[in-house]
Amino acid sequence: NWPENHTFPMNKFSETAKALTTRRADSHLPRPLVRKEMDFFRPLDFVDVPKEWFSSVICADFLDRFLRGELTVEECRWIGFREQTSRPELIERTVLEVAGTILTCQLAHKWGIASNVAGGTHHASHDRGAGYTILNDLAIAANFITSPAINNGTANTTKTLVIDCDVHQGDGTAKFELEGLYTLSIHCEDNYPRPKATSTYDVGLPSGTSDEEYMAALEDAVERALSEIQPDFVLYDAGIDVYEKDVLGRLRVTEAGIRARDRYVLDKCVSSDIPVAAVVGGGYDKNIQALARRHAIVHEECSFIWRKYHMWQ
């Protein structure tokens, strides 16, 4: 019962899951990517998610007040969900989204590649939410995989690079001062947020950037970041609001361009022997089914890379 006319399409996540369990006519896959709902990996139940996953990264006062549904009117306005922010369902969903990204990182660490049907809450900083994001899953997950005390020694990661391809700069992630966290944001310079934060690498593209221009900038930036940082883990925000008809985007990237982008980033990581965990990021469209199909692209491309490199062996 999310407000029907709200700008943020909350039901896109369930629709994306549906898209992954059905096969469209033009798909290159012989069958649905996911056979049935129970085949999805699932994060911990809400009550079982350890609070220390968050408390070592997020301001304790903000976290506690959010979990109690006691953020101020101004904080809720800044987030964008306003009176919806204190709803128990939204609080639970927000925590599970972060837990899902942490699970995705664990799976990627084990198998080399994995993707979350949600995630990419990159505007949230350590002490407040913003831009339809409340808890920054990218920062929390990066801290998890680089902190043996939190992950119980299940991950051996020292340098994590966030490659953020959402049309909006990942300003919240850039503001976290975490050891071993590096950020590359490729975004529309003329779009939200204003002012911009300072990422490790920022590539601000002009409005109207086409597929060819986008890919040229992407490849140059990714090559440079991987060469200079030498990360041992990548978190990839595959925001689809770069799409030419996205309600909140200003670029001219086509669906084919989104697919080429995702395939390039994922292939570059895997071929460089760097585990990569993908999240869906932003995307806005009144046609939720079409939006879900675009969000499904990154999962399809993860599957393509998985098969290309026989990553089950």
Side-chain angles (χ1 to χ4, degrees):
N1 57 345
W2 187 252
E4 215 171 284
N5 296 320
H6 200 288
T7 304
F8 189 85
M10 190 63 74
N11 57 340
K12 73 175 184 176
F13 302 105
S14 59
E15 289 299 323
T16 300
K18 288 180 184 177
L20 295 173
T21 56
T22 57
R23 180 184 179 276
R24 64 183 184 184
D26 61 346
S27 174
H28 66 279
L29 298 173
R31 61 184 67 87
L33 192 60
V34 181
R35 301 292 184 91
K36 55 186 182 296
E37 184 179 335
M38 293 307 297
D39 287 340
F40 286 104
F41 287 94
R42 308 172 84 87
L44 296 173
D45 290 336
F46 174 66
V47 295
D48 296 324
V49 176
K51 191 175 180 181
E52 56 264 29
W53 287 2
F54 305 83
S55 58
S56 59
V57 185
I58 305 299
C59 169
D61 175 65
F62 174 78
L63 177 63
D64 289 341
R65 287 189 296 108
F66 166 65
L67 294 175
R68 294 196 305 266
E70 296 176 358
L71 295 184
T72 66
V73 171
E74 177 62 17
E75 286 173 317
C76 295
R77 184 195 68 80
W78 195 257
I79 288 168
F81 294 145
R82 298 183 182 270
E83 67 276 5
Q84 307 298 323
T85 312
S86 61
R87 288 174 58 174
E89 313 97 286
L90 182 62
I91 294 170
E92 180 173 342
R93 187 217 161 273
T94 300
V95 170
L96 290 178
E97 182 171 38
V98 177
T101 298
I102 287 177
L103 173 59
T104 305
C105 289
Q106 292 173 311
L107 292 169
H109 189 269
K110 179 178 181 179
W111 296 104
I113 193 168
S115 53
N116 187 2
V117 186
T121 49
H122 63 169
H123 296 308
S125 57
H126 80 287
D127 61 354
R128 76 171 184 178
Y132 305 132
T133 68
I134 303 173
L135 301 175
N136 192 309
D137 66 313
L138 299 168
I140 295 170
N143 184 68
F144 176 89
I145 60 175
T146 55
S147 303
I150 299 175
N151 66 45
N152 295 319
T154 59
N156 185 27
T157 300
T158 57
K159 292 191 289 187
T160 299
L161 174 65
V162 174
I163 299 178
D164 192 332
C165 289
D166 194 280
V167 80
H168 308 105
Q169 189 206 34
D171 60 321
T173 315
K175 293 174 183 175
F176 280 87
E177 297 179 353
L178 299 175
E179 185 177 355
L181 174 62
Y182 303 87
T183 52
L184 163 60
S185 180
I186 304 170
H187 52 267
C188 179
E189 186 67 25
D190 306 323
N191 211 324
Y192 176 91
R194 296 186 181 90
K196 300 287 189 289
T198 301
S199 309
T200 312
Y201 304 92
D202 278 303
V203 181
L205 302 172
S207 296
T209 295
S210 66
D211 285 357
E212 295 76 15
E213 296 164 329
Y214 187 94
M215 286 301 298
L218 171 74
E219 292 177 15
D220 180 67
V222 170
E223 289 277 359
R224 180 187 173 196
L226 292 182
S227 174
E228 294 180 356
I229 301 300
Q230 295 286 304
D232 42 27
F233 198 93
V234 165
L235 271 159
Y236 174 45
D237 187 335
I240 58 167
D241 39 14
V242 296
Y243 179 56
E244 57 188 345
K245 297 179 182 178
D246 190 273
V247 176
L248 299 183
R250 296 181 179 178
L251 303 184
R252 289 194 298 109
V253 178
T254 65
E255 287 194 6
I258 291 173
R259 189 175 294 280
R261 175 199 70 176
D262 291 349
R263 183 170 296 187
Y264 169 77
V265 173
L266 296 168
D267 199 324
K268 186 67 180 176
C269 291
V270 171
S271 64
S272 301
D273 201 27
I274 304 171
V276 56
V279 296
V280 299
Y284 305 86
D285 195 322
K286 294 298 183 183
N287 185 333
I288 300 300
Q289 285 69 41
L291 181 66
R293 286 295 180 187
R294 286 196 291 278
H295 274 308
I297 290 173
V298 69
H299 306 290
E300 293 170 354
E301 291 307 311
C302 281
S303 174
F304 176 86
I305 298 300
W306 170 265
R307 297 193 314 276
K308 176 181 178 180
Y309 290 102
H310 299 170
M311 297 179 70
W312 57 87
Q313 294 180 346

